[in-house]
PDB file of all heavy atoms in Angstrom:
ATOM      1  N   VAL A 131     113.853 115.406  86.388  1.00  0.00           N
ATOM      2  CA  VAL A 131     115.010 116.275  86.602  1.00  0.00           C
ATOM      3  C   VAL A 131     114.675 117.370  87.608  1.00  0.00           C
ATOM      4  O   VAL A 131     115.454 117.662  88.535  1.00  0.00           O
ATOM      5  CB  VAL A 131     115.461 116.905  85.268  1.00  0.00           C
ATOM      6  CG1 VAL A 131     116.635 117.855  85.494  1.00  0.00           C
ATOM      7  CG2 VAL A 131     115.827 115.820  84.267  1.00  0.00           C
ATOM      8  N   ALA A 132     113.513 117.982  87.468  1.00  0.00           N
ATOM      9  CA  ALA A 132     113.132 119.108  88.317  1.00  0.00           C
ATOM     10  C   ALA A 132     113.058 118.725  89.789  1.00  0.00           C
ATOM     11  O   ALA A 132     113.461 119.504  90.663  1.00  0.00           O
ATOM     12  CB  ALA A 132     111.795 119.681  87.856  1.00  0.00           C
ATOM     13  N   TYR A 133     112.528 117.533  90.075  1.00  0.00           N
ATOM     14  CA  TYR A 133     112.344 117.139  91.465  1.00  0.00           C
ATOM     15  C   TYR A 133     113.577 116.457  92.058  1.00  0.00           C
ATOM     16  O   TYR A 133     113.642 116.265  93.275  1.00  0.00           O
ATOM     17  CB  TYR A 133     111.137 116.212  91.599  1.00  0.00           C
ATOM     18  CG  TYR A 133     109.822 116.927  91.447  1.00  0.00           C
ATOM     19  CD1 TYR A 133     109.019 116.730  90.325  1.00  0.00           C
ATOM     20  CD2 TYR A 133     109.385 117.822  92.419  1.00  0.00           C
ATOM     21  CE1 TYR A 133     107.810 117.397  90.180  1.00  0.00           C
ATOM     22  CE2 TYR A 133     108.182 118.484  92.278  1.00  0.00           C
ATOM     23  CZ  TYR A 133     107.394 118.262  91.163  1.00  0.00           C
ATOM     24  OH  TYR A 133     106.197 118.932  91.016  1.00  0.00           O
ATOM     25  N   ALA A 134     114.550 116.096  91.229  1.00  0.00           N
ATOM     26  CA  ALA A 134     115.718 115.374  91.738  1.00  0.00           C
ATOM     27  C   ALA A 134     116.999 116.202  91.728  1.00  0.00           C
ATOM     28  O   ALA A 134     117.917 115.926  92.511  1.00  0.00           O
ATOM     29  CB  ALA A 134     115.936 114.099  90.921  1.00  0.00           C
ATOM     30  N   GLU A 135     117.086 117.209  90.862  1.00  0.00           N
ATOM     31  CA  GLU A 135     118.367 117.880  90.657  1.00  0.00           C
ATOM     32  C   GLU A 135     118.908 118.539  91.921  1.00  0.00           C
ATOM     33  O   GLU A 135     120.108 118.449  92.226  1.00  0.00           O
ATOM     34  CB  GLU A 135     118.254 118.936  89.546  1.00  0.00           C
ATOM     35  CG  GLU A 135     119.600 119.548  89.197  1.00  0.00           C
ATOM     36  CD  GLU A 135     119.496 120.638  88.143  1.00  0.00           C
ATOM     37  OE1 GLU A 135     118.410 121.221  87.988  1.00  0.00           O
ATOM     38  OE2 GLU A 135     120.517 120.892  87.482  1.00  0.00           O
ATOM     39  N   ALA A 136     118.054 119.219  92.685  1.00  0.00           N
ATOM     40  CA  ALA A 136     118.536 119.902  93.884  1.00  0.00           C
ATOM     41  C   ALA A 136     119.113 118.908  94.888  1.00  0.00           C
ATOM     42  O   ALA A 136     120.162 119.166  95.498  1.00  0.00           O
ATOM     43  CB  ALA A 136     117.412 120.705  94.517  1.00  0.00           C
ATOM     44  N   ALA A 137     118.436 117.778  95.074  1.00  0.00           N
ATOM     45  CA  ALA A 137     118.937 116.753  95.998  1.00  0.00           C
ATOM     46  C   ALA A 137     120.256 116.171  95.498  1.00  0.00           C
ATOM     47  O   ALA A 137     121.186 115.932  96.283  1.00  0.00           O
ATOM     48  CB  ALA A 137     117.896 115.652  96.166  1.00  0.00           C
ATOM     49  N   ILE A 138     120.351 115.937  94.192  1.00  0.00           N
ATOM     50  CA  ILE A 138     121.593 115.397  93.613  1.00  0.00           C
ATOM     51  C   ILE A 138     122.737 116.384  93.806  1.00  0.00           C
ATOM     52  O   ILE A 138     123.846 115.998  94.212  1.00  0.00           O
ATOM     53  CB  ILE A 138     121.386 115.088  92.122  1.00  0.00           C
ATOM     54  CG1 ILE A 138     120.422 113.912  91.951  1.00  0.00           C
ATOM     55  CG2 ILE A 138     122.716 114.775  91.442  1.00  0.00           C
ATOM     56  CD1 ILE A 138     120.017 113.650  90.519  1.00  0.00           C
ATOM     57  N   ASN A 139     122.487 117.667  93.536  1.00  0.00           N
ATOM     58  CA  ASN A 139     123.534 118.680  93.715  1.00  0.00           C
ATOM     59  C   ASN A 139     123.981 118.768  95.172  1.00  0.00           C
ATOM     60  O   ASN A 139     125.172 118.942  95.461  1.00  0.00           O
ATOM     61  CB  ASN A 139     123.030 120.043  93.237  1.00  0.00           C
ATOM     62  CG  ASN A 139     122.933 120.114  91.726  1.00  0.00           C
ATOM     63  OD1 ASN A 139     123.555 119.334  91.018  1.00  0.00           O
ATOM     64  ND2 ASN A 139     122.141 121.057  91.231  1.00  0.00           N
ATOM     65  N   TYR A 140     123.024 118.635  96.091  1.00  0.00           N
ATOM     66  CA  TYR A 140     123.379 118.710  97.509  1.00  0.00           C
ATOM     67  C   TYR A 140     124.274 117.541  97.910  1.00  0.00           C
ATOM     68  O   TYR A 140     125.246 117.715  98.659  1.00  0.00           O
ATOM     69  CB  TYR A 140     122.116 118.719  98.366  1.00  0.00           C
ATOM     70  CG  TYR A 140     122.390 118.925  99.833  1.00  0.00           C
ATOM     71  CD1 TYR A 140     122.542 120.198 100.358  1.00  0.00           C
ATOM     72  CD2 TYR A 140     122.519 117.829 100.687  1.00  0.00           C
ATOM     73  CE1 TYR A 140     122.811 120.395 101.705  1.00  0.00           C
ATOM     74  CE2 TYR A 140     122.795 118.010 102.033  1.00  0.00           C
ATOM     75  CZ  TYR A 140     122.933 119.288 102.534  1.00  0.00           C
ATOM     76  OH  TYR A 140     123.216 119.470 103.868  1.00  0.00           O
ATOM     77  N   VAL A 141     123.946 116.353  97.417  1.00  0.00           N
ATOM     78  CA  VAL A 141     124.754 115.173  97.747  1.00  0.00           C
ATOM     79  C   VAL A 141     126.147 115.275  97.120  1.00  0.00           C
ATOM     80  O   VAL A 141     127.146 114.901  97.728  1.00  0.00           O
ATOM     81  CB  VAL A 141     124.039 113.890  97.289  1.00  0.00           C
ATOM     82  CG1 VAL A 141     124.938 112.665  97.440  1.00  0.00           C
ATOM     83  CG2 VAL A 141     122.758 113.692  98.085  1.00  0.00           C
ATOM     84  N   LYS A 142     126.214 115.824  95.903  1.00  0.00           N
ATOM     85  CA  LYS A 142     127.494 115.853  95.178  1.00  0.00           C
ATOM     86  C   LYS A 142     128.410 116.983  95.636  1.00  0.00           C
ATOM     87  O   LYS A 142     129.630 116.781  95.786  1.00  0.00           O
ATOM     88  CB  LYS A 142     127.226 115.956  93.674  1.00  0.00           C
ATOM     89  CG  LYS A 142     126.561 114.722  93.090  1.00  0.00           C
ATOM     90  CD  LYS A 142     126.237 114.888  91.627  1.00  0.00           C
ATOM     91  CE  LYS A 142     127.478 114.924  90.773  1.00  0.00           C
ATOM     92  NZ  LYS A 142     127.154 114.956  89.325  1.00  0.00           N
ATOM     93  N   ASP A 143     127.852 118.188  95.843  1.00  0.00           N
ATOM     94  CA  ASP A 143     128.746 119.305  96.183  1.00  0.00           C
ATOM     95  C   ASP A 143     128.231 120.202  97.305  1.00  0.00           C
ATOM     96  O   ASP A 143     128.806 121.256  97.579  1.00  0.00           O
ATOM     97  CB  ASP A 143     129.031 120.153  94.947  1.00  0.00           C
ATOM     98  CG  ASP A 143     127.754 120.671  94.278  1.00  0.00           C
ATOM     99  OD1 ASP A 143     126.753 120.891  94.988  1.00  0.00           O
ATOM    100  OD2 ASP A 143     127.768 120.854  93.048  1.00  0.00           O
ATOM    101  N   GLY A 144     127.131 119.800  97.956  1.00  0.00           N
ATOM    102  CA  GLY A 144     126.650 120.556  99.104  1.00  0.00           C
ATOM    103  C   GLY A 144     125.822 121.779  98.787  1.00  0.00           C
ATOM    104  O   GLY A 144     125.464 122.539  99.686  1.00  0.00           O
TER     105      GLY A 144
END
Side-chain angles (χ1 to χ4, degrees):
V131 178
Y133 287 110
E135 186 183 23
I138 292 172
N139 288 340
Y140 185 84
V141 172
K142 293 177 69 175
D143 56 30

